[in-house]
Amino acid sequence: KDKGIYTIVDTKDDWGKLKSGVGWIHLGYTKRLNQSPPAPYLVKVTANKLNIRSGPGTNYKIQGAITDKGTYTIVDTQGEWGKLKSGAGWINLNYTKKI
């Protein structure tokens, strides 16, 4: 009944373990408020031309493009989008391969 904010310290399938130690809750009835960004990781671009956008989605402005099929560092993700370490913007990770 309480719609408070809780900290989840472990997950298994669709369940989250409460930090308080009281037990587990089904995550299907929750909304994630924030999460730690992933540790930086490398991706290799697989597309001949991959747009760099100002934010994580096709509704954001194109700020440039990657055309060298190079390797880039991703420092944050939102859905299928990755933020470039260089600060240039966001790329769609469906056109990359994690290395």
Side-chain angles (χ1 to χ4, degrees):
K1 295 179 181 179
D2 178 14
K3 293 186 179 180
I5 297 173
Y6 300 90
T7 302
I8 302 297
V9 294
D10 191 13
T11 59
K12 183 168 182 166
D13 300 319
D14 294 332
W15 293 85
K17 184 177 182 180
L18 294 169
K19 183 178 182 180
S20 66
V22 171
W24 294 71
I25 59 172
H26 194 278
L27 298 176
Y29 298 103
T30 66
K31 177 181 174 187
R32 177 175 242 160
L33 296 179
N34 62 12
Q35 64 189 58
S36 302
Y41 63 92
L42 295 175
V43 296
K44 172 134 177 82
V45 173
T46 57
N48 290 325
K49 180 181 178 186
L50 180 57
N51 289 331
I52 301 170
R53 297 192 176 261
S54 62
T58 56
N59 55 319
Y60 290 90
K61 182 179 150 217
I62 296 172
Q63 302 191 151
I66 295 171
T67 57
D68 66 358
K69 291 193 175 185
T71 301
Y72 295 86
T73 302
I74 302 299
V75 295
D76 195 4
T77 58
Q78 285 192 27
E80 61 191 18
W81 294 87
K83 185 175 184 180
L84 295 168
K85 180 180 180 182
S86 67
W90 294 74
I91 59 172
N92 188 312
L93 297 173
N94 289 327
Y95 300 96
T96 68
K97 182 178 180 182
K98 193 170 181 178
I99 55 174

